[in-house]
Amino acid sequence: MTDKTPTVHDVARRAGVSTATVSRALSDADKLHPDTLERVRQAIEELGYLPNGAARGLTSRKTRVLALCFLDQGDPESDAGDDAMLYIDGVVRGMERAARERGYAILIGAVQDPDAALDLAVSLASRADGIVLLGQAAPSSAIQRLKRLPVVVVAGRCEDDQGWVDQVRVDNAAGMTELVTHLIEVHGHTRLAYLGGPADSPDAAERWAAFRATLTAAGLPVPLPLVGDFTQHTGAQAAEVLDPVPGAVVCANDQMAIGLMTALRDRGVRVPEEVAVVGFDGIDLGRHVRPALTTVRQPMQPIGAAAVTLLERRLRVRDLPPEDLRLPTQLIIRASCGCPIPRLA
Amino acid sequence: MTDKTPTVHDVARRAGVSTATVSRALSDADKLHPDTLERVRQAIEELGYLPNGAARGLTSRKTRVLALCFLDQGDPESDAGDDAMLYIDGVVRGMERAARERGYAILIGAVQDPDAALDLAVSLASRADGIVLLGQAAPSSAIQRLKRLPVVVVAGRCEDDQGWVDQVRVDNAAGMTELVTHLIEVHGHTRLAYLGGPADSPDAAERWAAFRATLTAAGLPVPLPLVGDFTQHTGAQAAEVLDPVPGAVVCANDQMAIGLMTALRDRGVRVPEEVAVVGFDGIDLGRHVRPALTTVRQPMQPIGAAAVTLLERRLRVRDLPPEDLRLPTQLIIRASCGCPIPRLA
DNA sequence: TTGTACGCGTTATCAA
DNA sequence: TTGATAACGCGTACAA
């Protein structure tokens, strides 16, 4: 009883055929005589043979793997950071489903430290046919270094590398514009406050820009933004600061909006009667808080799926102009903006 | 300008060294003369060289990859199936974090059809050093077939393969017992109904068994269980059936409990005043519904982390008796059981 | 329909 | 400290 893991040779010997035949049994099964096929099947079964992916990848120059590289800054213990993870979970799901249809598996890697992103990306890229770089995990150094293989940047910095690599983003500007316009035109708000996200978030930047542009276009004054860190905690803090309570508070993401609403309620301020609160992202939780959160939905899964589509396209055709996909957002009107409660939450 | 992706040879030539030196530059950097190292670094940079993971894996017989194989039965369009996915997301997160610490990446693959699980598992296993089979994705055929490499079954069927492979599960029995005991002893319930999960779910089976055992032990009558499919929809349906409203309804998962509560409220039945409702799993949503759901939390991330730990352990020592880990659950008392509302939701 | 033999890119062994 | 070279396991021309 040999304990080494069996190879094609072992299978071949046991089945009384050549290694080539074994190989064919695994791919072009139909090009074999049924009896031969059966013998090989037997041998494989009996030996517990598993093909060696590395050897396969070496000859075929393909791995049938698509990688995803992202930053996981969440404190493993607390609930903070869950927001980003919720987003990532959606993207992963979308990628996996899209990849599955095309015969790919997804390789996932994350780091805490942005400075480690490059090494991780290289390490993942060396085992994949293409790679998706998520948000902050896409320093231009990484993009340069990986130029040899298909790279898609999702939710990356806006300025850098534009027209350089394929990108997938969400149309933050359109979403925010739609949201603010709703507040102004439907509810007649004129005093809007803004609770923004971290300065290094491209999404946060785009949302803020669209917010002020929309106010300006409407001839309304642009408030000084509060700057949060995308956590519920930060949203709660904002409730303390907002003293002359404005008519409405626009938050750069849902978590902060929810934290804010909760703290406001604790302070005895009624939402949406006294102040409207709206968010951005469309996380599931927003459907279940009371009042249900009016927000702008980011299509997480479609983002993941689009990234895979782009990767696969470039795997087939290398010489293609870079694509810069902006996926549409969707305004989701619920109760926190002051709209009547719909029949179904 | 050659367009082929550069190899160690190209780098070696450009740096005026041998391939062995290039190889060393990537692993034992400190065993090289600083100047040599620098030249190699240069060449790598200039050529945009990326190591070939397949070739590496071939010689080293290691991939530094751990695979996860699961069933994704969710309808891509609807919200149904989210429950299972929430669970999986948590496990993935736990795996990734634990794997990262040990220098591994996670390879993810899913199928809809349980019958396809075996093929997927083999395909994933051939590219990984070890594999985690989740729930239904672990038919004994797969476990047999993969015997050559470390396999961990998470939330698998209870009877099969016990003492065969390493397993990670949650202590459903203890959790359910604790939950039901709370209902009986603290709230004095004597008429309990049960809304169970699908017959093919090992978790559902264990929970039901513990439920009835606890009632029996308390000298209470065991009701006929309603059988749902783990969705909110099913929970809502249960509200119609439960006519002589019992004192409490124990649901085999949170989704059903939430669906039930909502439907009950629509029917004008007050929870928890008229009937207590409790769930199982501890999904995030349960914290935000009103009344907040009393439930039993499954430690999703620790489950993933434990699976990785087991895998890595066996990667180091093959000859070890199989481990059958039962992770503890945690009773989370909120409002839906009738307990006073805690200060923080 | 089946077999032979070479090459894929890297690491490790052994010399130098 | 560095170089030459032999595996590693599989796919695939090419031959039979």
Side-chain angles (χ1 to χ4, degrees):
Chain A
M1 170 185 178
T2 156
D3 216 353
K4 270 187 56 64
T5 70
T7 75
V8 269
H9 291 95
D10 303 309
V11 176
R13 192 175 322 124
R14 180 154 194 139
V17 299
S18 75
T19 63
T21 300
V22 175
S23 176
R24 285 189 273 256
L26 270 56
S27 30
D28 316 295
D30 40 338
K31 306 232 164 193
L32 285 193
H33 189 94
D35 296 354
T36 318
L37 180 57
E38 189 45 34
R39 297 223 309 287
V40 177
R41 282 257 161 82
Q42 278 282 328
I44 288 179
E45 184 84 9
E46 293 167 7
L47 291 171
Y49 165 77
L50 289 176
N52 178 319
R56 279 184 156 178
L58 191 53
T59 51
S60 69
R61 305 163 151 297
K62 286 175 180 357
T63 62
R64 302 261 86 186
V65 167
L66 266 19
L68 171 66
C69 175
F70 63 92
L71 253 43
D72 177 10
Q73 321 229 43
D75 172 1
E77 307 308 326
S78 91
D79 263 354
D82 258 10
D83 182 36
M85 286 312 279
L86 250 53
Y87 176 87
I88 290 168
D89 289 343
V91 173
V92 170
R93 200 131 92 221
M95 281 187 66
E96 195 285 319
R97 284 178 174 159
R100 187 196 312 170
E101 290 178 357
R102 298 171 171 77
Y104 288 88
I106 300 294
L107 184 66
I108 292 181
V111 283
Q112 274 201 269
D113 179 4
D115 295 338
L118 174 56
D119 286 341
L120 173 65
V122 168
S123 151
L124 291 173
S126 72
R127 305 144 196 257
D129 292 340
I131 186 168
V132 173
L133 266 22
L134 203 50
Q136 316 239 50
S140 16
S141 59
I143 300 176
Q144 289 300 332
R145 189 77 172 63
L146 301 179
K147 255 178 56 185
R148 290 265 171 200
L149 64 82
V151 173
V152 170
V153 172
V154 167
R157 313 201 142 294
C158 353
E159 345 81 38
D160 314 353
D161 324 293
Q162 199 144 19
W164 232 128
V165 285
D166 291 326
Q167 297 204 45
V168 179
R169 309 183 237 176
V170 127
D171 196 343
N172 285 301
M176 180 57 81
T177 302
E178 205 180 350
L179 178 64
V180 175
T181 301
H182 174 83
L183 254 21
I184 296 174
E185 299 195 344
V186 176
H187 297 283
H189 284 293
T190 53
R191 293 185 309 120
L192 310 202
Y194 190 82
L195 174 52
D200 58 356
S201 158
D203 281 332
E206 292 192 357
R207 290 169 198 175
W208 164 244
F211 174 81
R212 52 185 307 174
T214 309
L215 288 203
T216 303
L220 296 176
V222 176
L224 244 43
L226 290 171
V227 176
D229 63 4
F230 277 161
T231 66
Q232 280 197 37
H233 178 67
T234 249
Q237 286 182 297
E240 323 263 312
V241 183
L242 251 28
D243 205 1
V245 174
V249 184
V250 175
C251 304
N253 82 343
D254 287 347
Q255 297 284 62
M256 294 195 297
I258 290 165
L260 173 62
M261 286 202 301
T262 306
L264 245 22
R265 183 173 52 196
D266 289 351
R267 249 182 64 186
V269 179
R270 290 176 308 146
V271 178
E273 292 81 355
E274 298 176 54
V275 52
V277 173
V278 298
F280 206 109
D281 274 355
I283 66 176
D284 216 57
L285 211 159
R287 275 174 28 208
H288 300 280
V289 293
R290 288 297 111 116
L293 187 66
T294 290
T295 187
V296 174
R297 168 177 286 283
Q298 287 208 59
M300 268 85 98
Q301 292 195 39
I303 289 172
V308 166
T309 304
L310 252 35
L311 238 31
E312 195 256 2
R313 187 192 65 142
R314 194 163 293 273
L315 243 18
R316 291 201 319 265
V317 195
R318 294 301 281 245
D319 290 324
L320 237 34
E323 188 91 37
D324 186 1
L325 239 45
R326 314 280 314 204
L327 264 38
T329 56
Q330 185 192 356
L331 178 61
I332 299 188
I333 295 177
R334 291 196 280 241
S336 70
C337 61
C339 278
I341 298 173
R343 294 185 31 74
L344 287 187
Chain B
M1 169 184 178
T2 157
D3 218 352
K4 273 188 54 63
T5 70
T7 74
V8 270
H9 292 95
D10 302 310
V11 176
R13 195 176 319 126
R14 180 152 193 137
V17 299
S18 75
T19 62
T21 301
V22 175
S23 176
R24 286 189 273 255
L26 271 55
S27 29
D28 315 295
D30 40 336
K31 307 231 164 194
L32 284 193
H33 188 94
D35 296 352
T36 317
L37 179 56
E38 188 45 33
R39 297 225 308 287
V40 176
R41 284 257 160 85
Q42 276 281 328
I44 288 180
E45 185 84 9
E46 292 167 6
L47 291 170
Y49 166 77
L50 289 177
N52 180 321
R56 281 185 155 176
L58 188 53
T59 52
S60 70
R61 301 158 157 299
K62 285 173 179 358
T63 64
R64 302 260 85 187
V65 166
L66 265 18
L68 171 65
C69 175
F70 63 92
L71 254 42
D72 177 10
Q73 320 228 43
D75 173 359
E77 308 307 327
S78 93
D79 264 354
D82 257 13
D83 183 36
M85 286 312 280
L86 251 59
Y87 175 86
I88 290 168
D89 289 343
V91 174
V92 170
R93 199 129 94 221
M95 282 187 66
E96 196 284 322
R97 285 178 174 159
R100 187 193 313 169
E101 290 177 358
R102 298 169 170 78
Y104 287 89
I106 300 294
L107 184 66
I108 291 182
V111 283
Q112 275 201 266
D113 178 4
D115 296 338
L118 174 56
D119 286 340
L120 174 65
V122 169
S123 152
L124 292 173
S126 72
R127 305 145 195 260
D129 293 338
I131 186 169
V132 173
L133 266 22
L134 202 51
Q136 315 239 47
S140 19
S141 58
I143 299 175
Q144 289 301 333
R145 189 76 172 64
L146 301 179
K147 253 179 52 187
R148 290 262 170 202
L149 61 79
V151 174
V152 170
V153 173
V154 167
R157 314 202 142 292
C158 354
E159 343 82 38
D160 314 352
D161 321 294
Q162 199 143 17
W164 232 128
V165 285
D166 291 327
Q167 297 204 47
V168 179
R169 312 184 236 176
V170 127
D171 196 343
N172 285 302
M176 179 58 81
T177 301
E178 206 179 349
L179 178 65
V180 174
T181 301
H182 174 82
L183 254 19
I184 296 173
E185 300 195 343
V186 176
H187 297 283
H189 284 293
T190 53
R191 295 184 308 118
L192 311 202
Y194 190 83
L195 174 52
D200 59 356
S201 158
D203 282 331
E206 291 191 359
R207 291 169 197 177
W208 164 243
F211 174 82
R212 52 185 307 174
T214 309
L215 288 204
T216 303
L220 296 176
V222 176
L224 245 42
L226 290 171
V227 176
D229 63 3
F230 277 158
T231 66
Q232 280 198 36
H233 178 68
T234 249
Q237 286 181 300
E240 324 263 312
V241 183
L242 250 29
D243 206 358
V245 175
V249 185
V250 175
C251 304
N253 82 342
D254 287 345
Q255 298 282 61
M256 294 195 299
I258 290 166
L260 173 63
M261 285 202 303
T262 306
L264 244 23
R265 183 173 51 194
D266 289 351
R267 250 181 65 184
V269 179
R270 289 176 308 147
V271 178
E273 292 80 356
E274 297 178 54
V275 52
V277 174
V278 298
F280 207 109
D281 274 354
I283 66 176
D284 215 57
L285 211 159
R287 275 176 25 210
H288 299 280
V289 292
R290 288 301 110 123
L293 187 65
T294 289
T295 187
V296 174
R297 168 177 287 283
Q298 289 207 57
M300 269 86 98
Q301 293 194 39
I303 290 172
V308 166
T309 303
L310 252 36
L311 237 31
E312 196 257 0
R313 187 192 65 143
R314 193 162 293 272
L315 241 20
R316 291 200 319 264
V317 194
R318 294 301 281 245
D319 288 323
L320 238 33
E323 187 91 35
D324 187 0
L325 238 46
R326 315 280 313 203
L327 265 38
T329 55
Q330 183 192 358
L331 177 61
I332 299 187
I333 295 178
R334 290 197 281 241
S336 70
C337 61
C339 278
I341 298 175
R343 297 187 27 75
L344 288 186

